[in-house]
Amino acid sequence: QVQLVESGGGLVQPGGSLRLSCAASGSIPSFNVMYWYRQAPGKERELVASITSLGGTNYADSVKGRFTISRDGAKNTVYLQMNTLKPEDTAIYYCRVRFYGMDYWGKGTPVTVSS
């Protein structure tokens, strides 16, 4: 049974920073891809960033230069460092892991950017 638990969300002022974490547990092979998605109220879920087990990364255009995805393979944990946050970054942020054609999702952590 694979479980993903996100943490680190909260309320932050525009221009501020947050660091999200996603801890994965269970039988996860060493080769996998981990993702961060977000879903704002009334909008569809969108991909924010991804990282492979080899360290290759990909970002949505809206977060390039502001967000950084990283991972600790030994801990099966993926991070999302979010800087220069904007009100439009407000959303629930979800973690996803994919391997062998299977997907697992966390329950999300809310991020609110507001003054």
Side-chain angles (χ1 to χ4, degrees), residues 6-11 17-22 36 80 82 109-111:
E6 302 96 335
S7 61
L11 173 64
S17 298
L18 280 176
R19 188 193 194 208
L20 306 184
S21 300
C22 172
W36 283 101
L80 187 68
M82 306 187 295
T109 184
V111 172

Side-chain angles (χ1 to χ4, degrees), residues 1-111:
Q1 184 79 11
V2 174
Q3 290 188 327
L4 302 174
V5 179
E6 302 96 335
S7 61
L11 173 64
V12 63
Q13 292 186 344
S17 298
L18 280 176
R19 188 193 194 208
L20 306 184
S21 300
C22 172
S25 60
S27 298
I28 301 174
S30 57
F31 185 77
N32 59 72
V33 186
M34 299 190 79
Y35 308 80
W36 283 101
Y37 284 76
R38 66 185 181 187
Q39 187 166 17
K43 295 189 177 181
E44 294 186 353
R45 192 172 297 189
E46 64 174 353
L47 175 65
V48 175
S50 64
I51 185 167
T52 71
S53 49
L54 298 178
T57 59
N58 189 42
Y59 296 92
D61 288 342
S62 59
V63 306
K64 281 181 181 176
R66 299 189 298 123
F67 290 11
T68 302
I69 189 171
S70 60
R71 64 188 293 165
D72 183 333
K75 297 180 180 179
N76 268 340
T77 299
V78 63
Y79 305 96
L80 187 68
Q81 178 66 43
M82 306 187 295
N83 298 328
T84 320
L85 283 161
K86 304 176 181 179
E88 51 263 43
D89 294 318
T90 295
I92 297 177
Y93 284 71
Y94 298 89
C95 177
R96 170 193 176 206
V97 65
R98 180 174 179 85
F99 56 89
Y100 300 152
M102 297 184 291
D103 290 291
Y104 298 88
W105 292 83
K107 294 183 178 181
T109 184
V111 172

